[in-house]
Amino acid sequence: MADLAELAGVSKITVSRALSESPLVNAETRERVQALARKHGYKLNVSARNLRLRRSHTVAVIVEMKPSSGRTMWDPYPLSLLGGISQELTSAGYSVLLTTRQGATDAPVQAADGLILLGQGAHQDAVRFYDRLGMPMVVWGAAEQGGDNHIVVGSDNRQGGISAAERFISIGRRHPVFIGNPDHPEMAQRLFGFVDELANHGIKPLLLRRADFTLESGIEAVRSLWERKVRFDSIFACSDLLAMGAIRALVELGQSVPNDVSVIGYDDTPLGASFLPPLSTVRQNWQEGGVLLARKVLAQIHGHSVQSQMMATTLVVRAT
């Protein structure tokens, strides 16, 4: 770098900035330095720079989900969140290291400056696992009632459950069912809001536990209700895929949606909007959530104090 600085007639710091595309160096000088670097085969030693700065300029993003044929990695979750994360981190000059839980102990993850965890896991097991890494971490999910030891970004899941209950009550439904897995903090908050609002009107919903958030799981849930001759007139499913599976099973059983049974999903996915009939659902803004996750982990990396943040949810009423 010293030799290159002498050839260009500038300082070493100017060479460093020019090779890093810094706006602090004017375009003419930047191009001259870069041309000399190409001519003499000089490349910035990124590893040495990061070692000197004690920074890798990388954030590890870990997706806490088990992909399956029914719930793939190219679903809106986690892709929409990843879009917001990548846009924000890249704009700040950081690389994104994307992996799953199996890659958590790999050296590149351990060397990252910070960690974004997409999903808390059942009973917060994923959070406890990654807390051991001792690095700046932000988690997508639901805030704990007693307060968190880590920063959480998510949607107001409790309000999402309340809005679903309010809708059912307003259209005269009195025998609701919740389909989902409350072992996950987000799903538990949706259930709590749903149950509490219904209780204000003397209604107690049926909880149908399902571990998989898939179309097949929704179909199987409704068939089990039908076979047991359970009385129900409304379904609140904790994901759009579950809700669409429930509707498919209802139609196959000769039921009309929403005349016989009303259905509300969660997430407002494009697939739900184009479903027949178009799915009523609770919307959460994953793109904005991804941006917030990235901003908060970057703030922690730079030593700033940050707070957990829950975003508003919206009930989208369509045809179900």
Side-chain angles (χ1 to χ4, degrees):
M1 189 179 288
D3 293 338
L4 196 58
E6 185 176 350
L7 286 169
V10 297
S11 65
K12 285 200 297 181
I13 189 64
T14 299
V15 170
S16 177
R17 288 171 175 170
L19 296 176
S20 300
E21 298 286 349
S22 171
L24 297 174
V25 180
N26 68 61
E28 182 182 347
T29 301
R30 192 163 60 240
E31 290 171 6
R32 188 170 79 255
V33 170
Q34 291 176 358
L36 284 167
R38 287 193 297 271
K39 178 181 178 182
H40 295 279
Y42 178 86
K43 293 181 180 179
L44 184 65
N45 190 326
V46 176
S47 297
R49 181 199 65 184
N50 291 341
L51 182 63
R52 176 173 56 84
L53 297 175
R54 296 186 180 179
R55 291 271 174 85
S56 66
H57 282 82
T58 298
V59 171
V61 180
I62 300 179
V63 181
E64 176 62 22
M65 69 175 281
K66 294 179 180 178
S68 67
S69 59
R71 188 170 186 242
T72 62
M73 293 285 280
W74 58 81
D75 276 351
Y77 175 87
L79 280 188
S80 294
L81 278 170
L82 290 171
I85 291 168
S86 299
Q87 178 176 312
E88 197 68 19
L89 291 179
T90 303
S91 299
Y94 278 72
S95 298
V96 179
L97 174 61
L98 177 62
T99 187
T100 58
R101 188 165 183 166
Q102 289 84 344
T105 56
D106 293 348
V109 174
Q110 306 271 341
D113 294 335
L115 173 67
I116 294 175
L117 176 59
L118 301 185
Q120 294 159 295
H123 306 295
Q124 300 252 9
D125 62 332
V127 174
R128 287 191 291 272
F129 180 83
Y130 291 111
D131 265 339
R132 300 171 192 163
L133 297 179
M135 64 174 68
M137 181 172 76
V138 182
V139 181
W140 172 263
E144 287 189 77
Q145 294 292 341
D148 290 291
N149 296 321
H150 51 273
I151 301 301
V152 179
V153 171
S155 296
D156 191 340
N157 291 280
R158 181 179 174 81
Q159 182 56 46
I162 290 172
S163 64
E166 289 175 338
R167 177 62 182 174
F168 286 156
I169 292 164
S170 72
I171 59 176
R173 300 302 183 181
R174 293 296 180 268
H175 304 283
V177 174
F178 177 92
I179 303 177
N181 184 3
D183 289 342
H184 293 265
E186 290 176 271
M187 312 308 161
Q189 289 298 316
R190 293 168 197 176
L191 175 61
F192 295 156
F194 190 61
V195 169
D196 290 350
E197 181 60 28
L198 290 171
N200 292 334
H201 300 266
I203 301 171
K204 185 177 181 179
L206 174 67
L207 167 60
L208 205 58
R209 284 179 172 268
R210 287 297 179 272
D212 297 327
F213 310 135
T214 63
L215 199 76
E216 292 75 15
S217 185
I219 292 171
E220 190 276 330
V222 167
R223 285 177 178 168
S224 73
L225 290 171
W226 194 261
E227 289 167 1
R228 289 184 286 141
K229 302 186 185 308
V230 174
R231 184 183 180 187
F232 64 100
D233 59 12
S234 47
I235 293 173
F236 176 37
C238 70
S239 80
D240 280 358
L241 279 175
L242 278 171
M244 288 184 283
I247 293 170
R248 180 172 294 180
L250 287 166
V251 172
E252 290 174 354
L253 292 167
Q255 297 297 290
S256 171
V257 177
N259 295 332
D260 296 322
V261 181
S262 296
V263 180
I264 295 176
Y266 209 102
D267 292 333
D268 191 24
T269 59
L271 189 59
S274 59
F275 191 72
L276 292 176
L279 181 66
S280 298
T281 184
V282 178
R283 182 176 188 269
Q284 53 181 341
N285 193 333
W286 280 326
Q287 182 77 16
E288 181 185 351
V291 170
L292 286 173
L293 286 164
R295 287 178 179 173
K296 289 182 184 291
V297 78
L298 287 174
Q300 286 189 76
I301 290 169
H302 293 104
H304 304 306
S305 177
V306 293
Q307 302 294 323
S308 295
Q309 185 172 342
M310 294 295 112
M311 302 181 297
T313 54
T314 306
L315 178 65
V316 181
V317 177
R318 295 195 178 101
T320 63

